[in-house]
Amino acid sequence: MRPTFFISDLHLCAERPDISRLFEHFVEETAPAAASLYILGDLFEYWIGDDQLDIDPLARKVATQLATMAEKGTKIFFMHGNRDFLLGDRFARAARLEILADPTVIQLRSVQVLLMHGDTLCTDDLAYQSFRTQVRSPAWQQAILAKPIADRQALAQSIRSQSDIEKSMKAEAIMDVNPDAVSDVFRSFGFPVLVHGHTHRPAKHEHTVESHVCVRWVLQDWHDFGGYLSCDNGEWRSMIVNP
Ligand code: LP5
Ligand code: MN
């Protein structure tokens, strides 16, 4: 049986051509070995609506690269991150991928695996959680998507700057997952393996919840190099993309 791969937090953008080249290598040489590729959010630096495809050559290229991989036989799944939560059906069709809800449970052999972007676990970051509630509301999204694309681009940049200012004033611990939130999801989903990104703190954690030892994989971001998590016949491994 072919392996399953997981990636997140690539933050692809025209300003980082090195990461785009790494991604190209990954989709052409590495990921086709997988039966399924799960992209757990923040594939793009930001996404302002699917008409980004009309103005952003990199977005079109990524869609084509993913579609080519899907045609070769790797099933591709995408979950929204806090940067690309506006990615929608038009991109999904162009990239031949399926959008998943956050959270989603999949089964690999007999193991239940819970997939999340990871931002909902950061419950101590109250300012972020209230921002998230606002931008994930269908009414807000409808109003935003009705605006001209240039306005949305400017707004995304303002939010990015504001977010960077606020992050510089937040304690590191606030921006990590909350242990009780993690225990709660393990409990609610029957003590699965948990895979998430967002925090950019790649690791394999073990949590004991009601005497169950549960594993939580945090995915590698693609800031300095590319990485993915592989599950191959029940064996989990964190891998580096080697061009
Ligand atoms: O992304 P990261 O890791 O740097 O920081 C996140 C949280 N920040 C965000 C915001 C994103 O960085 C930017 C999202 C851009 C999306 C583009 C589409 C938007 C649609 C608009 C156009 C169509 O998610 C950060 C967390 C951090 O993770 C760790 O978990 O702390 O959260 C914040 O910093 C949020 C702030 O605390 C509160 C929100 C500030 C935004 C204020 C809006 C100002 C608008 C000005 C308009 C003129
Ligand atoms: Mn994120």
Side-chain angles (χ1 to χ4, degrees):
M1 211 161 100
R2 288 152 72 209
T4 303
F5 290 168
F6 305 87
I7 57 174
S8 73
D9 302 282
L10 289 81
H11 294 238
L12 296 173
C13 59
E15 292 70 28
R16 311 263 324 278
D18 50 331
I19 300 301
S20 300
R21 274 195 296 276
L22 212 51
F23 180 69
E24 181 166 37
H25 175 85
F26 178 71
V27 288
E28 287 178 0
E29 307 294 334
T30 312
S36 305
L37 170 69
Y38 289 87
I39 304 171
L40 300 185
D42 292 0
L43 174 62
F44 292 102
E45 176 72 353
Y46 59 79
W47 194 258
I48 56 175
D50 283 352
D51 51 357
Q52 189 165 328
L53 284 165
D54 300 328
I55 59 154
D56 180 354
L58 175 66
R60 284 198 296 279
K61 188 171 177 189
V62 169
T64 305
Q65 287 168 329
L66 290 172
T68 305
M69 191 171 77
E71 276 151 27
K72 284 196 252 169
T74 299
K75 195 127 186 39
I76 307 171
F77 300 92
F78 172 86
M79 183 177 282
H80 291 126
N82 58 299
R83 300 293 192 98
D84 46 19
F85 56 85
L86 287 176
L87 192 146
D89 291 341
R90 180 177 160 199
F91 183 87
R93 278 194 303 277
R96 299 194 52 170
L97 57 76
E98 186 181 323
I99 297 180
L100 298 177
D102 182 356
T104 283
V105 179
I106 60 169
Q107 190 164 327
L108 294 181
R109 303 213 299 189
S110 58
V111 178
Q112 299 288 106
V113 181
L114 174 62
L115 308 177
M116 306 177 81
H117 176 57
D119 54 338
T120 53
L121 298 170
C122 302
T123 53
D124 295 326
D125 193 344
L126 299 178
Y128 171 68
Q129 293 304 334
S130 112
F131 167 76
R132 187 182 192 279
T133 302
Q134 182 188 356
V135 300
R136 297 301 182 100
S137 91
W140 186 89
Q141 294 194 358
Q142 218 177 350
I144 285 294
L145 290 172
K147 289 183 187 294
I149 195 160
D151 293 8
R152 279 178 274 141
Q153 233 166 353
L155 181 58
Q157 265 146 23
S158 304
I159 299 174
R160 282 289 311 115
S161 311
Q162 185 65 27
S163 170
D164 281 345
I165 292 167
E166 295 205 16
K167 275 197 318 181
S168 70
M169 297 185 292
K170 289 179 191 174
E172 283 295 320
I174 281 182
M175 295 187 281
D176 201 354
V177 299
N178 171 291
D180 293 337
V182 171
S183 297
D184 284 350
V185 292
F186 277 128
R187 210 175 287 115
S188 315
F189 288 91
F191 312 102
V193 171
L194 170 57
V195 180
H196 72 82
H198 182 66
T199 60
H200 301 209
R201 302 174 202 216
K204 178 188 179 185
H205 297 275
E206 286 187 354
H207 299 264
T208 304
V209 186
E210 290 172 12
S211 72
H212 298 263
V213 179
C214 306
V215 173
R216 174 170 68 96
W217 287 97
V218 186
L219 299 173
Q220 172 75 50
D221 67 73
W222 285 44
H223 192 267
D224 299 322
F225 56 89
Y228 62 101
L229 178 65
S230 162
C231 179
D232 193 356
N233 286 309
E235 199 173 315
W236 293 81
R237 258 195 238 119
S238 181
M239 310 286 286
I240 286 174
V241 179
N242 266 319

